[in-house]
């Protein structure tokens, strides 16, 4: 018997619902880079890692906000009309998931960046260092999909 088929199959409708939900909750480096280059005003990128990790390398335009510091008080002045994209180190780290969870629980609209800064760099996008967010000015990289 097929190993792929042994766990059962979802119907086409179930698959559509599942994959639509994934797209609602996550984004990838190419889509985020396109929005950063376009200076999309609705998007705010949040680096959920420690300040030291942010200073060493972060996505241009991202602000440092470790997920452990996210509370109603620390986000009281944030704009709830924005979409917050959280990221961490990569797929072996759940800091972006914690950040997205905490922000959603506080009433913010969030998405999680697939693969974090690891996949951002693997895809060839620039990084910033230090305390300032920086700006992603341009990219000659095109999504391969």
């Amino acid at each position: 018997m097929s190993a792929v088929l042994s766990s059962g199959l979802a119907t086409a409708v179930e698959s559509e619902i599942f994959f639509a939900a994934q797209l609602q909750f996550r984004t990838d480096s190419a889509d985020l880079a396109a929005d950063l280059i376009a200076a999309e005003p609705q998007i705010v990128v949040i680096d959920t890692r420690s300040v030291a990790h942010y200073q060493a390398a972060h996505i241009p335009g991202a602000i440092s906000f470790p997920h452990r510091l996210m509370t109603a008080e620390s986000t009281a002045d944030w704009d709830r009309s924005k979409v917050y994209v959280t990221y961490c180190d990569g797929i072996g780290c759940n800091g972006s998931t914690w950040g997205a969870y905490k922000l959603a629980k506080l009433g913010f609209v969030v998405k999680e960046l697939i693969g974090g800064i690891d996949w951002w760099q693997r895809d060839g996008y620039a990084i910033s260092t230090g305390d300032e967010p920086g700006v992603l000015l341009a990219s000659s990289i095109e999504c391969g999909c």
Side-chain angles (χ1 to χ4, degrees), residues 28-143:
D28 68 5
S29 297
D31 289 346
L32 181 58
D35 278 355
L36 289 174
I37 291 166
E40 173 57 52
Q42 191 176 359
I43 303 298
V44 178
V45 184
I46 306 294
D47 187 318
T48 64
R49 304 171 303 150
S50 71
V51 172
H53 281 90
Y54 175 86
Q55 290 170 335
H58 60 269
I59 293 173
I63 60 173
S64 177
F65 196 56
H67 71 87
R68 287 178 171 80
L69 304 178
M70 293 178 181
T71 65
E73 295 77 24
S74 65
T75 60
D77 295 332
W78 284 26
D79 186 345
R80 282 183 164 68
S81 70
K82 305 282 185 182
V83 175
Y84 294 88
V85 178
T86 62
Y87 76 89
C88 58
D89 283 331
I91 62 172
C93 176
N94 67 3
S96 61
T97 305
W98 274 111
Y101 166 71
K102 289 177 181 181
L103 291 176
K105 191 173 177 180
L106 292 168
F108 295 96
V109 176
V110 296
K111 283 198 172 202
E112 184 177 24
L113 178 65
I114 299 168
I117 195 161
D118 178 35
W119 284 8
W120 175 269
Q121 289 180 285
R122 286 180 192 219
D123 286 343
Y125 294 105
I127 59 163
S128 291
T129 59
D131 293 323
E132 295 301 316
V135 176
L136 185 62
L137 298 175
S139 175
S140 61
I141 300 166
E142 293 185 25
C143 182

